[in-house]
Amino acid sequence: MATIITHPLVPIAAAYLIGRDKIPPRLLITASIASIIPDLDVIAFRFGIPYGDPFGHRGFSHSLAFAALVGLIGLCFKNYFKGSIGIIFIMLFIGSASHGILDALTDGGQGVAFFWPFTNERYFFPVRPVEVSQIGLRNFLTPRGMTVLWSEFILIWIPAFLVLAAITITRKKKT
Ligand SMILES: [Zn+2]
């Protein structure tokens, strides 16, 4: 995993790109939660399910199919979200799918089963600059946790901020 602080950054940035007025706050909050829930799969370790199993860590819950499922489930709550069907699906899909993408950029653990249920092959990106985060909130406050946060800050937060700032400036010029 990247840290649970960094995963929600992606749906938040996506909401900004799509246009904040089109994204109801409760949809953004749910999409942020959707960016974290794939890691609930760590419970598999408790049940003795190995890391590389389809139902192990970074298995089915990190797949694109799971993200699509999250999006589809979201559509059942259309009246709750008060958004258009397309926006609800896209935001929840981005939230959940981006989790695996960030994980595939980390330098530790096993790869991500993006294409489950078609294959359980685990994938990483060719470049994996982000320090892998240890599982569990406690680990944030250790020197290793600080190294992880620093790596995410430099490699994810700052570039994301620069892209959003550039878009803001471009939008302002157009108006
Ligand atoms: Zn993960």
Side-chain angles (χ1 to χ4, degrees):
M1 65 187 294
T3 62
I4 59 166
I5 298 174
T6 293
H7 281 299
L9 184 69
V10 182
I12 290 169
Y16 189 79
L17 292 179
I18 293 169
R20 278 173 297 178
D21 48 330
K22 294 194 188 84
I23 316 285
R26 53 178 63 171
L27 177 59
L28 181 54
I29 291 166
T30 310
S32 301
I33 294 168
S35 76
I36 301 167
I37 50 172
D39 271 343
L40 292 180
D41 64 3
V42 293
I43 200 165
F45 290 124
R46 292 253 169 120
F47 292 101
I49 301 171
Y51 202 138
D53 189 274
F55 293 96
H57 185 43
R58 290 184 173 174
F60 84 100
S61 68
H62 287 54
S63 68
L64 298 174
F66 180 86
L69 184 67
V70 170
L72 289 175
I73 292 171
L75 297 186
C76 301
F77 298 92
K78 183 179 180 306
N79 291 340
Y80 171 76
F81 289 125
K82 297 188 173 75
S84 76
I85 285 179
I87 294 283
I88 293 171
F89 181 83
I90 286 172
M91 281 302 296
L92 296 180
F93 180 81
I94 288 175
S96 185
S98 64
H99 181 108
I101 291 171
L102 287 188
D103 276 5
L105 288 166
T106 62
D107 64 356
Q110 292 188 19
V112 174
F114 281 122
F115 303 113
W116 179 91
F118 303 105
T119 168
N120 188 41
E121 193 164 337
R122 302 299 188 97
Y123 295 90
F124 276 119
F125 287 110
V127 181
R128 297 155 58 191
V130 181
E131 297 257 355
V132 74
S133 167
Q134 283 168 312
I135 295 156
L137 277 177
R138 256 172 306 162
N139 296 315
F140 274 135
L141 302 173
T142 63
R144 161 88 187 139
M146 289 299 141
T147 310
V148 170
L149 279 179
W150 182 245
S151 117
E152 290 182 1
F153 183 71
I154 298 286
L155 293 164
I156 301 173
W157 284 76
I158 288 184
F161 177 78
L162 290 176
V163 169
L164 293 181
I167 289 166
T168 307
I169 291 165
T170 318
R171 275 183 188 160
K172 282 210 175 122
K173 274 191 183 157
K174 276 189 194 156
T175 51

